[in-house]
Amino acid sequence: MAMALKDKVVLITGGNSGIGEAVTRRFIQEGAKVSIIGRSIETLKKMKAEFGEEILINQGDVSKYEDNERAVQATVEQFGKLDVFVANAGVFDGFAKFADVAPDALSDAYDFLIDINVKGSFFGAKAALEELQKSNGNIIFTVSGASFYPDGGGVWYTASKHAQIGLMRQLAFELAPNIRVNAVAPGGTLTALSVIPPLRPFVKIVDNETKANSIKKRNPLQLAQLPEDHVAAYVLLASDAARAITGEVISSDGGLSVRGL
Ligand code: NAD
């Protein structure tokens, strides 16, 4: 089968672990050159050692506009253009209960999580915009089941993932007809998605087996989903085969919407 992303240039935030890493691997197999932004230099270097010329690594913080801008510039310098931006980096609230969190932790918790999940998505999209306009490219946001349903996290995470949907829809409207804007909504997935430090005193960190069992119980297909389970949705949205799709979310969640009562 022909490669779906041959000669495409893609920038992925958080492409050095979990869902972002799986998407990076698959996009490279599909013929793309991939540039990734991440915080951990060790995992970034590991990806560089594995993929060599096919990948560019950028250490940065998505909640800082200049780090997004620097990564876009470096990507275009290295690979000549930008076709796809994937806003994927994110952090979690560990299902912290609103009633349990002390008032003096509220401001830090809000800033920490919203800065990465929401501001990071705004900044990345803005930094990529000019190059995507030149290439008639597209944007994909990693949202979540928590973008639609309660109990995919606490209020911090759920509010942040709802906010990304608003950003995606309005951008799809404003940026048409040049740029398509879509999202993938994974359900609970076995990754090391980290709980933000200000909320750690208020949550129970669970081991992977407990997490796998709880994820399985929540979706009708009873899948303890892995990052690789979601990559096909990203390939479709990123590719020219999806030229008529914008403002859409592909849920990749084992059927959360058909759970019933
Ligand atoms: P992960 O921790 O493996 O990946 C997140 C990546 O984002 C990491 O590489 C992390 O270092 C990076 N990151 C976090 N803050 C950053 C910052 N300020 N600057 C740059 N990079 C930063 O976890 P994951 O589960 O693969 O998460 C990826 C996305 O998937 C997130 O947006 C998350 O909300 C979403 N998601 C995860 C699940 C799940 O159950 N794991 C479910 C639905 C949606």
Side-chain angles (χ1 to χ4, degrees), residues 123-138:
F123 282 179
K126 179 72 175 169
L129 193 54
E130 203 182 314
E131 290 300 328
L132 295 175
Q133 256 150 0
K134 290 185 202 160
S135 63
N136 283 338
N138 70 83

Side-chain angles (χ1 to χ4, degrees), residues 13-21 37-40 43 60-64 87-92 115-117 142-146 157 161 164 184-194 211 215 227 230 234:
T13 69
N16 50 334
S17 69
I19 296 168
E21 177 182 344
I37 307 181
R39 286 183 303 192
S40 145
T43 52
D61 177 348
V62 295
S63 68
K64 299 201 169 81
N88 167 78
V91 285
F92 194 46
D115 269 4
I116 296 173
N117 290 9
T142 299
V143 297
S144 171
Y157 188 72
K161 290 287 158 181
Q164 285 183 306
V184 176
T189 306
L190 290 169
T191 68
L193 185 63
S194 73
K211 201 159 144 191
I215 292 174
H230 310 305
Y234 290 86

Side-chain angles (χ1 to χ4, degrees), residues 12-83:
I12 305 181
T13 69
N16 50 334
S17 69
I19 296 168
E21 177 182 344
V23 172
T24 298
R25 288 174 182 283
R26 178 66 185 278
F27 276 21
I28 291 172
Q29 280 171 14
E30 295 290 345
K33 300 272 191 264
V34 180
S35 178
I36 61 176
I37 307 181
R39 286 183 303 192
S40 145
I41 194 66
E42 290 76 31
T43 52
L44 287 167
K45 280 188 173 158
K46 218 177 101 217
M47 294 294 277
K48 181 71 192 166
E50 187 175 341
F51 293 108
E53 299 284 285
E54 309 300 312
I55 203 167
L56 177 70
I57 57 169
N58 309 271
Q59 192 178 25
D61 177 348
V62 295
S63 68
K64 299 201 169 81
Y65 185 71
E66 58 276 19
D67 287 10
N68 289 281
E69 209 178 22
R70 211 163 18 86
V72 170
Q73 276 166 9
T75 305
V76 174
E77 262 165 44
Q78 180 80 20
F79 297 131
K81 60 173 181 165
L82 180 66
D83 297 296

Side-chain angles (χ1 to χ4, degrees), residues 9-10 37-38 56 84 102 120 128 170 180 210 230 247 257:
V9 177
V10 184
I37 307 181
L56 177 70
V84 183
Q170 182 64 23
R180 296 184 298 107
T210 314
H230 310 305
S257 77

Side-chain angles (χ1 to χ4, degrees), residues 19 36 38 50 55 66 98 100 103-104 107 114 119 132-133 208 229 235:
I19 296 168
I36 61 176
E50 187 175 341
I55 203 167
E66 58 276 19
F98 195 53
D100 295 346
D104 63 7
S107 187
I114 301 293
K119 200 158 88 178
L132 295 175
Q133 256 150 0
N208 259 350
D229 290 321
V235 173

Side-chain angles (χ1 to χ4, degrees), residues 246-259:
T246 197
E248 267 307 326
V249 184
I250 298 183
S251 290
S252 177
D253 61 9
L256 290 180
S257 77
V258 294
R259 186 159 57 169

